[in-house]
């Protein structure tokens, strides 16, 4: 049993469900979202997959903010598929609500890139979702994992890593 547990992915932190500390998410990239009808189920509650789409949008915009256009990566023959995903849903969101998707690049190990996420209320008092996502750099032409990140991408990621560590 303990052997099985060690192979389980680590879930994102539960933190304080009712009042996340605002300093906990300092220096994270922020991406605002508003719950639209197409994000919800028949009862007006956000469908779980909508959170994943918002996290990807936030990640792409975070990269754009440091000069990395996803289309340029594709043109270089590099793709960044998700290879691991862990999500904890703390509180549901409803139609019309506004929230902030916070993200940061947590770690780069070779061609693996780990990202952290938190979706919180605009006043920072409600925590809706926490997540961790791992991407790998993939050579689009060969369909295989790259040996190293493209140099321009690696340099830009070093900038964001420096920002996160300050």
């Amino acid at each position: 049993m303990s052997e099985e547990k060690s192979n389980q992915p680590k879930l994102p932190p539960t933190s304080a469900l009712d009042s996340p500390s605002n300093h906990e998410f300092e220096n994270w990239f922020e991406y605002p979202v508003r719950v639209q009808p197409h994000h919800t189920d028949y009862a007006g509650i956000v469908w779980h997959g909508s959170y994943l789409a918002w996290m990807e949008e936030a990640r792409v915009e975070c990269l754009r903010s440091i000069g990395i256009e996803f289309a340029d990566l594709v043109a270089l023959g590099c793709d960044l598929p998700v290879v691991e995903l862990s999500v904890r849903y703390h509180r549901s969101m409803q139609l019309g609500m506004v929230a902030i998707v916070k993200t940061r690049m947590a770690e780069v190990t070779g061609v693996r890139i780990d990202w952290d996420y938190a979706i919180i209320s605009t006043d920072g008092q409600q925590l809706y979702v926490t997540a961790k996502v791992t991407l790998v750099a993939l050579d689009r032409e060969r369909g295989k994992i790259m040996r190293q990140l493209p140099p321009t991408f690696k340099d830009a990621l070093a900038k964001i890593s420096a920002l996160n560590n300050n």
Side-chain angles (χ1 to χ4, degrees), residues 15 18 33:
S15 300
D18 292 323
V33 294

Side-chain angles (χ1 to χ4, degrees), residues 17 30 37 43 47 49 51 81 101 109 114 125 130 139-140 146 156:
L17 292 181
E30 296 185 0
W47 173 65
Y51 297 105
V101 180
T109 309
D114 295 323
Q125 297 304 304
T130 52
D139 181 318
R140 291 175 59 86
M146 295 178 137

Side-chain angles (χ1 to χ4, degrees), residues 52-68:
L52 303 180
W54 293 339
M55 290 187 297
E56 183 167 12
E57 290 169 18
R59 182 174 65 246
V60 168
E61 290 303 319
C62 181
L63 291 172
R64 180 176 287 128
S65 77
I66 60 163
I68 300 172

Side-chain angles (χ1 to χ4, degrees), residues 60-95:
V60 168
E61 290 303 319
C62 181
L63 291 172
R64 180 176 287 128
S65 77
I66 60 163
I68 300 172
E69 291 289 338
F70 205 87
D72 293 343
L73 282 176
V74 172
L76 286 171
C78 178
D79 198 3
L80 296 173
V82 171
V83 295
E84 192 171 341
L85 168 68
S86 177
V87 181
R88 178 160 289 166
Y89 299 96
H90 301 275
R91 177 172 274 119
S92 63
M93 292 179 63
Q94 297 177 351
L95 183 62

Side-chain angles (χ1 to χ4, degrees), residues 5-165:
K5 270 199 172 219
S6 66
N7 293 333
Q8 294 292 324
K10 290 183 182 175
L11 288 175
T14 57
S15 300
L17 292 181
D18 292 323
S19 56
S21 71
N22 287 333
H23 77 278
E24 184 178 350
F25 302 121
E26 281 180 15
N27 300 323
W28 288 41
F29 180 82
E30 296 185 0
Y31 181 74
V33 294
R34 178 180 303 274
V35 179
Q36 302 292 339
H38 65 276
H39 298 136
T40 66
D41 61 16
Y42 64 91
I45 304 296
V46 173
W47 173 65
H48 68 277
S50 294
Y51 297 105
L52 303 180
W54 293 339
M55 290 187 297
E56 183 167 12
E57 290 169 18
R59 182 174 65 246
V60 168
E61 290 303 319
C62 181
L63 291 172
R64 180 176 287 128
S65 77
I66 60 163
I68 300 172
E69 291 289 338
F70 205 87
D72 293 343
L73 282 176
V74 172
L76 286 171
C78 178
D79 198 3
L80 296 173
V82 171
V83 295
E84 192 171 341
L85 168 68
S86 177
V87 181
R88 178 160 289 166
Y89 299 96
H90 301 275
R91 177 172 274 119
S92 63
M93 292 179 63
Q94 297 177 351
L95 183 62
M97 292 176 76
V98 178
I100 304 294
V101 180
K102 292 192 164 251
T103 188
R104 69 175 177 180
M105 188 181 63
E107 185 177 5
V108 177
T109 309
V111 295
R112 291 177 61 96
I113 307 165
D114 295 323
W115 289 81
D116 292 329
Y117 297 88
I119 301 177
I120 63 172
S121 60
T122 56
D123 65 4
Q125 297 304 304
Q126 300 294 324
L127 179 62
Y128 302 114
V129 172
T130 52
K132 292 186 175 293
V133 171
T134 300
L135 312 172
V136 294
L138 185 75
D139 181 318
R140 291 175 59 86
E141 188 176 305
R142 295 183 0 203
K144 297 192 180 214
I145 294 174
M146 295 178 137
R147 293 184 185 270
Q148 61 185 4
L149 295 172
T152 54
F153 185 47
K154 191 174 184 177
D155 293 345
L157 289 181
K159 286 183 207 170
I160 197 170
S161 184
L163 288 173
N164 287 342
N165 292 326

